[in-house]
């Protein structure tokens, strides 16, 4: 399991939270992206700003991975957004039901071949976020997370 590079308690000041459980389906992954964009808009980062677009893309990639690689029949995935207002940093966490399938360690990703249709999601996460990783909170779930500056 990947080590947590940026502990949650590294941030100071007040934080805003959003959490929802969604079905581990393509529809659930799309809904995660839309809900994240809407939540960021309500927190002051409108749809058309770069921070909202980047965060929405990262949510889409992590949610899609949860559906593709972390799905267990009958189990949902969870999306959690934590906004640290003091430094305008958003922490995105997607929790799925497959702790036995952990992603590669940060910094060890290899680029996908030019002819492949998938395999670029975590490369996007790594390039667009300041930190990312995966943690196991219990024997039944894993959380893949990243942090992105919004401002």
């Amino acid at each position: 399991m990947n080590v947590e590079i940026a502990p949650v308690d590294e941030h100071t000041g007040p934080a805003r939270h959003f959490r929802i459980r969604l079905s581990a389906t393509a529809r659930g992954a799309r809904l995660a992206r839309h809900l994240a964009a809407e939540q960021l808009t309500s927190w002051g980062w409108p749809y058309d700003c770069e921070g909202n677009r980047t965060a929405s893309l990262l949510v889409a990639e992590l949610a899609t991975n949860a559906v593709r690689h972390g799905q267990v029949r009958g189990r949902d995935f969870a999306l959690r957004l934590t906004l640290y207002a003091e430094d305008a940093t958003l922490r995105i966490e997607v929790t799925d039901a497959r702790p036995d399938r952990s992603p590669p360690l940060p910094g060890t990703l290899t680029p996908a071949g030019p002819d492949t249709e998938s395999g670029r999601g975590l490369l996007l996460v790594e390039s667009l976020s300041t930190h990312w990783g995966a943690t196991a909170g219990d024997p039944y779930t894993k959380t893949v997370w990243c942090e992105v500056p919004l401002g």
Side-chain angles (χ1 to χ4, degrees):
M1 199 53 61
N2 294 349
V3 297
E4 188 162 340
I5 296 171
V8 173
D9 59 351
E10 174 182 289
H11 298 281
T12 60
R16 295 179 178 173
H17 302 279
F18 172 81
R19 183 175 170 92
I20 190 166
R21 295 189 73 78
L22 298 162
S23 64
T25 62
R27 183 173 187 226
R30 282 191 308 273
L31 187 55
R33 180 182 180 139
H34 292 296
L35 290 171
E38 180 63 31
Q39 187 62 51
L40 286 171
T41 297
S42 75
W43 285 341
W45 279 270
Y47 289 110
D48 59 348
C49 78
E50 185 177 340
N52 190 312
R53 288 192 301 264
T54 300
S56 297
L57 175 63
L58 294 174
V59 166
E61 292 300 335
L62 294 179
T64 299
N65 282 351
V67 169
R68 282 194 178 161
H69 306 294
Q71 183 183 40
V72 172
R73 187 179 176 111
R75 304 262 318 266
D76 297 335
F77 74 93
L79 168 66
R80 180 183 172 115
L81 305 176
T82 304
L83 174 63
Y84 299 98
E86 189 170 293
D87 59 0
T89 297
L90 180 71
R91 183 178 176 96
I92 302 164
E93 300 176 7
V94 175
T95 302
D96 66 45
R98 293 298 301 262
D100 57 319
R101 290 189 179 175
S102 59
L105 292 169
T108 65
L109 299 172
T110 56
D115 296 334
T116 60
E117 293 184 18
S118 63
R120 294 173 184 84
L122 286 178
L123 288 169
L124 283 171
V125 171
E126 188 164 73
S127 67
L128 296 174
S129 63
T130 56
H131 303 90
W132 78 277
T135 58
D138 58 49
Y140 309 105
T141 63
K142 81 166 170 299
T143 300
V144 180
W145 60 272
C146 67
E147 290 189 355
V148 60
L150 295 176

